[in-house]
Amino acid sequence: MVSSVKSSAGAGKSKTTKTKSSPQEIAIDALHVTKIYRGDTDVLALDDVSVQIRKNEFFTLLGPSGCGKTTLLRLIAGFEHPTAGMITLEGEDISLLPPYQRPVNTVFQSYALFPHMSVAENIGFGLEMLGKPKSEIDRTVDNMLELVKMTELKNRQTSQISGGQQQRVALARALAPRPKVLLLDEPLSALDLKLRKQMQIELKRLQHETGITFVFVTHDQEEALTMSDRVAVMSEGNILQVGPPREIYDHPAERFVANFIGDTNFITAGLVSIGKSSAKVKLPSGKTVAAALPQGGISKSDAKGKVTVVIRPEHARIGKAASNSTLSGTLQNIVYIGTDTHYHLELPKGDIFIIRSQNQRDFEESHRVGKKYGIEIGPGAVQVLRD
Amino acid sequence: MADASMVSPAKKTGRAFSIRKQTGFTTMAIVCFFLLYAPLLPLVFYSFNAGTSLAFFEGFSFRWYVAAWNNDLVIDATIRSVYLAAAASSIATVLATMAALGTTRTKPYKGLTAIYVMINQPLMVPEIVTAVALLILFASIKAATNYHGMAYLIIAHTAFCIPFAYLPIRARLEGMDLSLETAAADLYATPWLTFRRVTFPLLWPGILAGMMLAFVISLDDVVITELVKSSGQDTLPTYMLGQLRRAITPEVNAISSVLLAVSVIMVTIFFFLNRKSS
């Protein structure tokens, strides 16, 4: 595996449990890819990005708009070419190939269905361009229509079907030529919530059934966690962390990752000692607790004795104020949101700590705003950030 | 139109600002339409006059339409006009399509705006200036080659037809989702196949609209034709101009009415083609 500064996290664990990484197993390998859009002012869209996408995995590029996720997708598709660096597909350098020579297909955000063709003609287009015989095209189109459950709409015009159906046609069209990698550019963003949830499961099913590598771009963290085998979190042209959803959520390495995915409490703590995979940190309350270190660790000189730790709201409990509480604070707000209740506590230094507690049926709220409470933090809930 | 002001306010709540509520706006619009169309009414009206006068209506008759139909000079000029308009608008449309692709399907380059302005030059340069310039240029070529054929008129008409063909084609290209062509390339279509299978079929209504507009513009042209044509190359408009210098009969009205009808039909088709595109 080619090492890279920022994308090594996450690869380690599963690599050892599965099989050893060899070139045949990697679908897409991006090596030090930089993309600068030239113009009146040059825009650095990707800044020396290296990432490996494995065969048959559902890989998600997650980040806010402008983070470079779509640029990376367009570079893999061939709509743009890298300013520096290289992209290989199954070991073959494809950096400079035009899109029509890459065995890679895209599902576009706008679907981009050809309005002058029927559903079947749209799905068959790729195979037709590849010069496949008509009998094979017809057979594949029928299979694809069945795969996305659209058989009865075969001869419709694309303007006569709903948004969700257009989405399925776009998927079928991109899958029909059996690409080595399927790229999906925020394909669910135009759908309403219910349909989106349905399509998330549908996409996962399609990926399983076809065995094709999916590279999915989204800014929706929940979508990324739901569907992906691995997620790459991007910000400002960099990949900050790569790993399975659980690892990204439970062990964020950087403040941006922790903040972008889920709700988080940030606390500044003193570094007491540092071990191989965990450290001891001193919380503002004076208590010393064990904390997990991020993949790749931190160097002591980085931290200058102070580190930022994160605690997820659902990993803390509200309890009686006691001298041996891990932290304590004054209850400021109780927010009832149906499934959960959020308690907002003000720590002695003025920071707000949020606790999320799952509600029981007919549960009587006994906590009172203005009173002091203890914050109990379970073992393994404290994570040290790299910054 | 006047009824619009009678609509109850409750029905208009959909739009906060309506220009119609401005005092005098509706009146102004009616006056403008009147000035535009009123002069055409007597022209069409007297084309059906049974008498020879343009001022006294002596009964309804198709007499002048029949006269024009039987006038060899009119038929000759009509055939030449249609031939010229067809040739010029076809060539202009091909060139305009290429120009439209070259100004919308490329990465933005230096001088793109300048090229855009240059393509539309015939819209800005006074027609008489172009006409005189062509007269002088072609006169020297005619003297040198002794060729006096239709090519001069076709070239001249092609030149001023280009922007009229270009604008609707460009508008159609700009309204087209660029990701369609990207998708075609993604699905293994080479640039030529992308053009043939995706760009061109979607651009087709725009091309047709541009061609019809160019055809009408060429059909109506007087100034450039008058100065460029050799003797015996009258088009319908220049023939009519020649007639007006002599005795005016309702025959001119009849020809004008037919020309008007053809133009209206073609412009109507043009609008329908354009509406389909949006």
Side-chain angles (χ1 to χ4, degrees):
Chain A
M1 187 165 173
V2 179
S3 67
S4 73
V5 187
K6 282 168 178 162
S7 63
S8 55
K13 266 189 184 170
S14 40
K15 193 174 77 177
T16 47
T17 51
K18 283 181 185 171
T19 44
K20 257 184 245 158
S21 212
S22 62
Q24 292 83 42
E25 280 213 301
I26 303 298
I28 296 283
D29 195 352
L31 287 160
H32 303 290
V33 172
T34 296
K35 178 65 188 176
I36 298 169
Y37 288 110
R38 304 283 179 202
D40 294 334
T41 50
D42 288 356
V43 178
L44 178 64
L46 286 177
D47 183 7
D48 193 14
V49 165
S50 294
V51 65
Q52 288 186 322
I53 299 167
R54 298 177 194 139
K55 270 191 182 177
N56 299 348
E57 81 173 331
F58 197 121
F59 191 89
T60 298
L61 299 168
L62 172 68
S65 62
C67 71
K69 57 190 193 298
T70 300
T71 300
L72 186 53
L73 197 81
R74 292 179 66 83
L75 286 172
I76 298 172
F79 307 143
E80 312 278 352
H81 298 295
T83 311
M86 186 166 93
I87 296 172
T88 65
L89 172 62
E90 294 183 2
E92 188 198 344
D93 184 6
I94 58 163
S95 314
L96 299 174
L97 282 184
Y100 53 89
Q101 286 175 2
R102 301 181 185 211
V104 171
N105 291 136
T106 309
V107 178
F108 292 85
Q109 189 170 14
S110 63
Y111 311 146
L113 297 178
F114 304 126
H116 56 300
M117 295 180 198
S118 71
V119 166
E121 285 168 329
N122 263 282
I123 297 173
F125 188 84
L127 293 165
E128 200 188 324
M129 292 301 113
L130 286 171
K132 300 282 183 217
K134 191 159 185 322
S135 58
E136 188 191 327
I137 295 175
D138 289 346
R139 200 170 53 237
T140 311
V141 167
D142 286 342
N143 287 343
M144 284 298 139
L145 283 164
E146 208 171 303
L147 188 69
V148 298
K149 298 165 184 160
M150 290 277 296
T151 307
E152 66 279 15
L153 298 175
K154 183 178 179 178
N155 295 314
R156 289 277 189 93
Q157 288 304 119
T158 54
S159 56
Q160 296 170 324
I161 58 177
S162 72
Q165 290 166 337
Q166 290 184 10
Q167 164 84 76
R168 285 161 186 273
V169 175
L171 259 167
R173 184 180 71 175
L175 284 169
R178 278 210 68 83
K180 286 185 174 151
V181 177
L182 184 77
L183 307 174
L184 302 107
D185 184 10
E186 306 216 21
L188 307 182
S189 59
L191 303 178
D192 62 56
L193 185 68
K194 212 173 162 193
L195 204 51
R196 194 155 70 221
K197 297 264 181 212
Q198 211 178 312
M199 280 309 290
Q200 286 176 7
I201 295 163
E202 189 80 8
L203 275 177
K204 194 76 192 144
R205 174 183 72 87
L206 282 173
Q207 200 259 329
H208 259 283
E209 284 182 19
T210 58
I212 291 172
T213 308
F214 277 33
V215 181
F216 187 88
V217 159
T218 184
H219 62 265
D220 183 331
Q221 45 117 350
E222 193 191 311
E223 209 164 272
L225 297 180
T226 311
M227 295 193 286
S228 319
D229 293 322
R230 287 196 305 150
V231 180
V233 184
M234 295 186 71
S235 170
E236 294 177 351
N238 289 299
I239 291 182
L240 300 181
Q241 191 172 354
V242 184
R246 202 173 276 275
E247 186 175 304
I248 295 276
Y249 185 81
D250 282 344
H251 300 286
E254 309 216 12
R255 179 182 285 266
F256 181 88
V257 177
N259 212 9
F260 192 72
I261 299 173
D263 299 322
T264 306
N265 294 300
F266 291 103
I267 292 167
T268 307
L271 189 62
V272 177
S273 67
I274 187 161
K276 216 173 177 193
S277 65
S278 71
K280 290 223 178 297
V281 294
K282 193 175 180 184
L283 297 177
S285 60
K287 281 267 189 259
T288 298
V289 294
L293 285 172
Q295 285 276 342
I298 54 164
S299 61
K300 275 182 197 165
S301 59
D302 272 2
K304 287 172 196 148
K306 289 276 179 196
V307 288
T308 305
V309 299
V310 294
I311 300 162
R312 296 287 186 190
E314 67 274 21
H315 295 156
R317 272 178 296 112
I318 186 164
K320 281 207 178 90
S323 57
N324 63 347
S325 295
T326 323
L327 286 167
S328 62
T330 311
L331 188 57
Q332 280 210 325
N333 241 329
I334 302 173
V335 183
Y336 175 78
I337 56 162
T339 52
D340 300 326
T341 300
H342 291 187
Y343 300 98
H344 296 205
L345 291 107
E346 187 180 350
L347 301 180
K349 272 189 170 173
D351 292 331
I352 299 294
F353 191 98
I354 299 172
I355 294 173
R356 182 187 298 155
S357 167
Q358 197 177 357
N359 290 330
Q360 305 300 318
R361 194 173 152 87
D362 294 331
F363 150 81
E364 193 85 32
E365 183 60 72
S366 62
H367 302 97
R368 294 285 169 264
V369 170
K371 273 184 78 179
K372 210 168 154 83
Y373 288 98
I375 300 169
E376 308 300 339
I377 295 160
V382 185
Q383 170 74 32
V384 180
L385 294 182
R386 198 178 279 139
D387 66 351
Chain B
M1 251 196 171
D3 290 346
S5 55
M6 311 269 287
V7 174
S8 66
K11 279 190 179 172
K12 292 178 127 190
T13 45
R15 187 161 293 181
F17 173 74
S18 169
I19 191 76
R20 269 195 187 169
K21 286 182 186 161
Q22 290 291 332
T23 318
F25 189 84
T26 307
T27 319
M28 184 76 93
I30 292 169
V31 168
C32 285
F33 278 116
F34 184 77
L35 287 174
L36 270 175
Y37 288 97
L40 294 174
L41 294 175
L43 172 106
V44 177
F45 183 71
Y46 282 107
S47 72
F48 295 109
N49 197 356
T52 53
S53 169
L54 291 177
F56 298 102
F57 196 72
E58 294 166 38
F60 181 86
S61 143
F62 282 113
R63 166 184 176 190
W64 297 110
Y65 287 89
V66 176
W69 182 252
N70 289 324
N71 186 337
D72 285 344
L73 288 173
V74 172
I75 297 302
D76 180 56
T78 305
I79 290 169
R80 189 173 295 106
S81 274
V82 170
Y83 165 70
L84 175 59
S89 62
S90 304
I91 301 169
T93 303
V94 171
L95 296 174
T97 305
M98 287 158 66
L101 286 168
T103 49
T104 57
R105 288 301 185 272
T106 50
K107 285 199 172 150
Y109 49 89
K110 249 195 175 145
L112 190 60
T113 315
I115 286 174
Y116 180 68
V117 172
M118 279 162 71
I119 292 168
N120 290 316
Q121 169 264 357
L123 296 177
M124 286 166 278
V125 175
E127 203 183 350
I128 188 71
V129 174
T130 312
V132 171
L134 288 173
L135 173 70
I136 295 164
L137 175 70
F138 288 157
S140 58
I141 299 175
K142 280 175 187 172
T145 62
N146 208 25
Y147 171 74
H148 294 271
M150 282 292 284
Y152 301 108
L153 276 175
I154 293 173
I155 292 168
H157 277 232
T158 301
F160 71 74
C161 279
I162 285 174
F164 293 98
Y166 172 80
L167 290 173
I169 297 170
R170 181 191 161 97
R172 176 96 192 170
L173 274 171
E174 280 182 334
M176 233 156 89
D177 185 359
L178 268 177
S179 65
L180 294 175
E181 284 148 328
T182 312
D186 186 61
L187 292 161
Y188 314 104
T190 57
W192 166 243
L193 274 174
T194 299
F195 177 75
R196 224 191 61 190
R197 296 294 308 275
V198 176
T199 315
F200 187 74
L202 293 171
L203 185 57
W204 181 237
I207 292 175
L208 210 60
M211 190 160 159
M212 296 189 86
L213 198 59
F215 187 89
V216 171
I217 296 292
S218 165
L219 202 65
D220 289 352
D221 181 72
V222 177
V223 179
I224 288 177
T225 315
E226 185 69 25
L227 268 66
V228 169
K229 74 181 170 70
S230 304
S231 64
Q233 287 184 343
D234 263 321
T235 62
L236 207 48
T238 61
Y239 168 78
M240 287 161 66
L241 192 66
Q243 287 301 296
L244 290 175
R245 293 200 185 110
R246 293 166 209 137
I248 306 178
T249 67
E251 190 183 323
V252 173
N253 293 38
I255 301 167
S256 301
S257 301
V258 172
L259 213 51
L260 180 69
V262 169
S263 296
V264 166
I265 289 167
M266 296 200 78
V267 171
T268 308
I269 296 172
F270 165 81
F271 272 112
F272 273 108
L273 282 172
N274 254 19
R275 209 175 54 174
K276 235 178 101 183
S277 68
S278 56

